[in-house]
Amino acid sequence: MTEMMQALEQGDLALIDQLLELFLTKELPEDIYTLAEIFMQYGYMKEADRVLEHLQFLMPEEAQLKIDRANVLMELGDEDGALDLLLEVDETAQEYPQALLVLADYYQMQGLFEVAEIRINEALAILPEEPLLHFAKAELLFETGRFLEAARLYEELYEQHREFAGVNLVERLAEVYRAGAAYELALDYYSKALEDEVKPDVLFGAAYSAFQSQKYEMAIQQLEELKELDPDYFSAYLLLAQSYAMLEDNPKAYTAIQEGLKRDEYDKSLYLFAGKMALKNSLPEEAEQHLREAIALDPEYMEAVLALIAIFGQQERHEDVIELFETLQQNDFEWSALYPFAAAAYENLELYDRAYEFYRLAYNDFKEDATFLEKYVYFLVEEGKRLEAKEVLEQLLRIQPGEPAWQELLETLEFE
């Protein structure tokens, strides 16, 4: 065994293979099984499978060997072989609940979550007090978005265990409550976890939960600490900027997002928020540049496109609106949300036929938008399209009944 351990530590596969042949023929089954466990521990799954296959040949009815080998085969990507072995475990075997748990893992890996839960419940019916089964079910519920059910099971485990199966239950409870939008509860558990050890992910989770709980000063404090601990924790910068923005400290928000851009120049959401903060700080040129960077990273980034078009509209840069819109069209990006902007820009440039085309296209999606309908009505009236103006005006009155100005205009159109 000493030689084998040295070969393992050196990663000498040829020597391992040579020693293994001798080991399997000379050693007792219990020592061979110990070697299989060592192989699994060191990540030598092919060698572990070879050992377990040999033991299966010697003891074909041994349920534990089938379960262990199934685990190894799943690690090796042979799910079908693993399934065959697990289904061979007899229901009367003491190890049957363990086989059910591994089966649940198999089905969970396949995305068959309902079948996985059935298997865990079968095991729980046999061993209702087994903590490992409760933990497995909690993990499955967490993965499938049933956060409150998962939290209940984690809470029960936490009463007896601070850590389980290598998982810190305080951190896990914080994560599950955060995922379920129970941010105050999540923050309580994150605070407990931070008392034990300050880790970047825990700090960020705490800051996010504080932000969602409208505790912006706390979020800022934790994010600043996170930056000191790990300056390359990119997600911290956007949340930090958002926290300052919620406190209406726009200069600090803009500074924070600029720091983030220095760390990560390929995150489009950072450029978008930088654009918004630049506007808040009365820096329209910088805002435009940030938004153009966001669109360069993702030409289909609708929020950035709309923000940039809004800037052009405010500055009455109608040609720029059209240029951006037509560039998107050339790239086969047809967004009805942009049609009202295009229609207004063409109208301002006195390209009335094009304006009419896009007003009509926009009408289907903006029938409930009073601001759009008002512009469309006046455009139609100016263009002498009285019947169409009357139709749009009637729609406007349906969503804003009793508006005197609209009623008066409708009566005028009907009279004409």
Side-chain angles (χ1 to χ4, degrees):
M1 183 67 83
T2 303
E3 280 187 277
M4 181 66 79
M5 291 302 298
Q6 289 175 346
L8 281 171
E9 289 169 1
Q10 293 167 6
D12 190 337
L13 293 176
L15 182 56
I16 290 170
D17 188 61
Q18 179 185 335
L19 293 171
L20 187 54
E21 279 294 333
L22 205 60
F23 197 92
L24 294 178
T25 56
K26 289 190 172 184
E27 300 297 330
L28 295 171
E30 53 265 35
D31 294 326
I32 296 173
Y33 184 75
T34 299
L35 180 61
E37 291 181 314
I38 292 170
F39 277 142
M40 287 186 279
Q41 180 184 344
Y42 277 78
Y44 288 85
M45 293 302 171
K46 288 183 180 179
E47 289 73 15
D49 181 49
R50 184 175 164 191
V51 173
L52 291 170
E53 185 179 22
H54 174 77
L55 286 171
Q56 269 196 287
F57 176 77
L58 298 176
M59 296 172 284
E61 300 305 317
E62 181 60 47
Q64 189 63 55
L65 291 175
K66 294 175 182 178
I67 295 167
D68 290 339
R69 191 168 177 223
N71 274 313
V72 169
L73 288 176
M74 282 199 283
E75 289 287 335
L76 291 170
D78 185 3
E79 288 88 358
D80 291 339
L83 183 59
D84 289 340
L85 285 170
L86 292 169
L87 294 175
E88 288 178 14
V89 178
D90 193 274
E91 293 184 15
T92 61
Q94 183 181 354
E95 296 87 356
Y96 185 61
Q98 187 184 349
L100 288 170
L101 185 56
V102 180
L103 272 171
D105 285 340
Y106 166 82
Y107 289 121
Q108 194 167 343
M109 286 169 58
Q110 303 299 316
L112 301 170
F113 300 112
E114 290 183 11
V115 183
E117 187 175 355
I118 289 169
R119 295 300 190 186
I120 294 174
N121 287 338
E122 285 180 35
L124 280 166
I126 300 169
L127 297 173
E129 304 301 322
E130 174 54 52
L132 184 60
L133 295 174
H134 288 279
F135 178 76
K137 185 168 183 179
E139 293 282 277
L140 176 63
L141 294 171
F142 185 18
E143 184 176 349
T144 54
R146 293 157 65 183
F147 302 120
L148 291 178
E149 294 174 75
R152 179 180 60 79
L153 290 174
Y154 286 127
E155 291 277 12
E156 290 172 2
L157 287 167
Y158 179 57
E159 290 175 6
Q160 302 296 326
H161 308 274
R162 187 78 173 183
E163 188 173 298
F164 196 90
V167 173
N168 184 311
L169 290 178
V170 180
E171 292 179 23
R172 181 66 96 235
L173 277 162
E175 291 167 4
V176 75
Y177 279 125
R178 172 186 161 191
Y183 297 114
E184 294 280 359
L185 279 170
L187 188 55
D188 288 342
Y189 279 103
Y190 276 122
S191 298
K192 290 178 184 177
L194 287 169
E195 289 172 7
D196 294 336
E197 184 180 0
V198 177
K199 295 189 286 189
D201 286 343
V202 177
L203 268 174
F204 182 80
Y208 184 85
S209 300
F211 179 88
Q212 295 295 340
S213 302
Q214 300 182 8
K215 298 178 179 178
Y216 305 118
E217 293 90 346
M218 180 185 292
I220 289 168
Q221 179 183 347
Q222 289 162 337
L223 290 164
E224 293 288 1
E225 185 178 349
L226 174 53
K227 280 170 50 187
E228 290 292 322
L229 186 65
D230 183 359
D232 288 326
Y233 201 102
F234 299 146
S235 302
Y237 293 94
L238 178 57
L239 187 59
L240 179 60
Q242 290 170 332
S243 300
Y244 278 123
M246 294 304 294
L247 294 174
E248 298 185 2
D249 193 340
N250 296 323
K252 284 188 178 178
Y254 189 43
T255 299
I257 206 68
Q258 286 179 301
E259 287 178 17
L261 285 171
K262 290 175 184 176
R263 294 283 176 181
D264 182 6
E265 58 184 20
Y266 298 106
D267 186 340
K268 64 181 183 181
S269 61
L270 293 179
Y271 285 105
L272 173 63
F273 199 76
K276 293 178 179 179
M277 284 300 100
L279 282 177
K280 290 274 190 180
N281 285 282
S282 302
L283 300 168
E285 291 183 9
E286 288 83 349
E288 180 179 340
Q289 183 58 36
H290 292 314
L291 294 171
R292 287 190 181 276
E293 293 281 1
I295 296 167
L297 288 169
D298 180 3
E300 297 183 58
Y301 197 10
M302 172 64 81
E303 196 173 352
V305 170
L306 289 173
L308 184 55
I309 283 181
I311 291 175
F312 292 156
Q314 290 170 1
Q315 297 175 349
E316 298 185 357
R317 292 163 58 184
H318 310 301
E319 294 89 349
D320 290 324
V321 172
I322 298 304
E323 181 184 355
L324 178 56
F325 177 71
E326 290 182 347
T327 299
L328 292 169
Q329 278 196 311
Q330 289 167 9
N331 292 322
D332 297 324
F333 300 145
E334 286 289 345
W335 294 324
S336 60
L338 299 181
Y339 292 159
F341 297 99
Y346 281 123
E347 182 182 0
N348 281 296
L349 292 172
E350 300 182 4
L351 298 170
Y352 299 118
D353 288 343
R354 291 287 281 168
Y356 178 53
E357 176 186 346
F358 285 101
Y359 270 123
R360 284 199 306 167
L361 286 171
Y363 182 59
N364 288 329
D365 289 338
F366 289 86
K367 282 185 177 180
E368 305 300 319
D369 186 328
T371 302
F372 168 76
L373 293 175
E374 179 182 353
K375 291 179 181 177
Y376 190 17
V377 165
Y378 283 121
F379 173 81
L380 291 170
V381 170
E382 287 294 322
E383 290 298 295
K385 301 180 187 296
R386 299 291 196 261
L387 288 176
E388 291 178 63
K390 182 173 175 291
E391 176 191 337
V392 176
L393 193 52
E394 287 171 348
Q395 173 62 19
L396 186 54
L397 281 165
R398 274 192 285 272
I399 64 174
Q400 286 190 344
E403 181 66 37
W406 310 143
Q407 193 64 48
E408 183 180 339
L409 181 55
L410 181 61
E411 290 170 3
T412 302
L413 292 172
E414 287 176 339
F415 178 77
E416 293 177 354

